[in-house]
Amino acid sequence: MSEKAILTVGDQRIELPVMKGTDGRLSIDISQLHAQTGLTTYDPALANTALCRSAITWIDGEQGVLRYRGVPIEQFDQAPSFVEVAWTLIFGRLPTRAELDHFREQLTANELLHEGLKAQFQHIPADAPPMAILSASLSNLACFHRQFIDVEQPERLVEAAARLISKVRTIAAFSYRRSRGLPFIYPDPSLRYCANFLHMMFSLPYRQYEVSPQIEEALNLIFILHADHEQNCSTTAVRVVGSARANLFASCAAGVSALWGPLHGGANVEVIRMLERIHAGGMTPEQCIRDAKDKTSPFRLYGFGHRVYRNFDPRAQVLRRLCDKVFADLKQPDPLLDIARRLEELALADPYFVERKLYPNVDFYSGILLRGIGIPTNMFTVCFAIGRLPGWIAQWKEQHDDPHSRIIRPRQVYTGPGESDYVPIDQRS
Ligand code: CMC
């Protein structure tokens, strides 16, 4: 017998169906509540609301578990390529060799930017934030590839996805080159995904950047760990825009804008700023912890805490181990890593963080790692976006393929004035 939830409001007794996920978790289905009773539910920040049904990513926040299409992320430690993970997320299963080769060919075929899109970089101020450039450029792709604006042709999705995943690294690298006043380096079709990105970032004309296998492998794993995280803030932004049947480029541009915020992807930059300040003697780790606990200050311990994880973020665990490996391989210790470890130690022993179950999240170690492999700080969140793009595409596709999908349009609890008359401006006190 299917379970029901009973809601009593005044003398109304309302029976609500209960849904069960494939993981056994229950969810009260209130989708007909307003239509049948006129009632709404109040859930600020949607902290208790399942926005959709999704088969892409699974998280157990209590145990610190994350799986893509059923596969625990620790199994990706043995480094399949980021491109294989992207395909898996978007198309719902691990690809065959032929499918993966075909997708790779599509990425290579689409790695160049239209010269018109490239020209826009000349008019952007050199110190423009790369996340602003990325969001605008993804949106602008719709100007140059107008065949993808029509979202009603599903076969076009693969082509659009290949363009986005390929071009995002070209756009990202060009925005970095622009910020340094350096000439653009075109993609090299003989290089793999991550190596090609590093080449476009760091090669010079007639001086090829030599990509170390350890650095390529580390970047590959960083991208994989960021590839999807179910209904997080930027993915929800993508779904909200996509629910209006807006095209994939516009929807992903919205995702970039949401990711930019310091409470979301921008936290990886804030972590480094915090560690650099401590390193420069501007504050001690103990002071940092004190400030983070001070409710009169907006300061937070960046890279700590999570809406879903009440335990270690498994991505942070993998990145912590990767830090040890990369810095040992590079024989180049980073003093910021020692400071980060000290902060982590202090926080994990502090009742404030223990009681609230605040643990390091993905952003705590990713910045140190990106810094170690030579990525400048203003490109950290851009790297997060490159990694997250397959997840946004997968979620957009899932929503688009869902026959029950409707435009996302929440309700509100109105707290403004009742009806009041318009007063002409010269009669107002
Ligand atoms: N430092 C100090 N206090 C914190 C922190 C932190 N990093 N995180 C949460 N808290 C406190 C918060 O003040 C609140 O305290 P109280 O119960 O006394 O009011 C309690 O812990 C619960 O926090 P919350 O703000 O209600 O939690 P949330 O689910 O709304 O926010 C979060 C989650 C990630 C935005 C938050 O933990 C945070 O601001 N962390 C720092 C920013 C950060 O690292 N963001 C990256 C998130 S992971 C990757 C991603 O999404 O990009």
Side-chain angles (χ1 to χ4, degrees), residues 8-29:
T8 311
V9 183
D11 53 8
Q12 278 192 90
R13 185 177 183 276
I14 304 147
E15 269 194 11
L16 298 165
V18 174
M19 298 169 67
K20 192 188 255 186
T22 50
D23 54 4
R25 287 183 198 154
L26 301 179
S27 188
I28 301 169
D29 177 356

Side-chain angles (χ1 to χ4, degrees), residues 214-381:
Q214 290 93 341
I215 287 183
E216 185 185 356
E217 208 178 288
L219 189 61
N220 182 58
L221 189 50
I222 292 171
F223 285 161
I224 289 174
L225 291 173
H226 287 85
D228 194 47
H229 211 237
E230 50 120 300
Q231 308 313 314
N232 59 86
C233 176
S234 54
T235 299
T236 301
V238 170
R239 278 188 179 260
V240 169
V241 176
S243 78
R245 294 278 180 255
N247 66 75
L248 183 64
F249 300 140
S251 305
C252 290
V256 173
S257 300
L259 189 72
W260 192 2
L263 294 189
H264 192 10
N268 56 15
V269 173
E270 299 301 327
V271 170
I272 292 296
R273 286 200 185 125
M274 184 176 77
L275 298 177
E276 282 176 341
R277 197 169 148 207
I278 296 173
H279 186 236
M283 113 169 120
T284 63
E286 290 75 10
Q287 176 68 46
C288 181
I289 296 288
R290 268 199 300 279
D291 286 359
K293 296 190 291 184
D294 179 358
K295 294 292 176 194
T296 63
S297 150
F299 181 79
R300 293 195 153 199
L301 183 59
Y302 288 98
F304 257 73
H306 200 275
R307 172 64 56 81
V308 179
Y309 293 117
R310 295 291 166 218
N311 201 326
F312 273 92
D313 177 338
R315 303 167 299 175
Q317 304 269 57
V318 176
L319 288 174
R320 196 182 200 278
R321 288 197 294 275
L322 190 60
C323 271
D324 292 337
K325 183 169 177 304
V326 166
F327 288 110
D329 284 348
L330 295 176
K331 299 186 177 50
Q332 183 190 310
D334 185 341
L336 296 197
L337 183 56
D338 294 332
I339 297 172
R341 293 225 170 94
R342 176 74 187 130
L343 276 178
E344 179 181 339
E345 192 184 16
L346 287 171
L348 295 181
D350 190 301
Y352 174 95
F353 292 88
V354 175
E355 281 158 19
R356 289 170 178 75
K357 300 189 177 168
L358 304 173
Y359 290 88
N361 61 47
V362 68
D363 292 314
F364 196 65
Y365 286 107
S366 64
I368 301 174
L369 205 45
L370 286 166
R371 199 174 111 103
I373 65 180
I375 305 286
T377 309
N378 67 349
M379 292 295 288
F380 288 0
T381 317

Side-chain angles (χ1 to χ4, degrees), residues 182-225:
L182 292 168
F184 298 136
I185 300 291
Y186 284 97
D188 176 346
S190 71
L191 293 175
R192 283 181 302 203
Y193 191 88
C194 294
N196 209 350
F197 173 58
L198 292 165
H199 154 71
M200 286 189 276
M201 288 279 292
F202 301 125
S203 284
L204 290 171
Y206 305 109
R207 201 189 310 155
Q208 184 88 359
Y209 170 81
E210 286 204 15
V211 181
S212 107
Q214 290 93 341
I215 287 183
E216 185 185 356
E217 208 178 288
L219 189 61
N220 182 58
L221 189 50
I222 292 171
F223 285 161
I224 289 174
L225 291 173

Side-chain angles (χ1 to χ4, degrees), residues 120 124 128-138 171 175 253 256-257 260 382:
Q120 74 168 17
I124 291 171
M131 284 298 273
I133 303 175
L134 187 64
S135 176
S137 304
L138 290 193
I171 293 169
S175 66
V256 173
S257 300
W260 192 2
V382 171

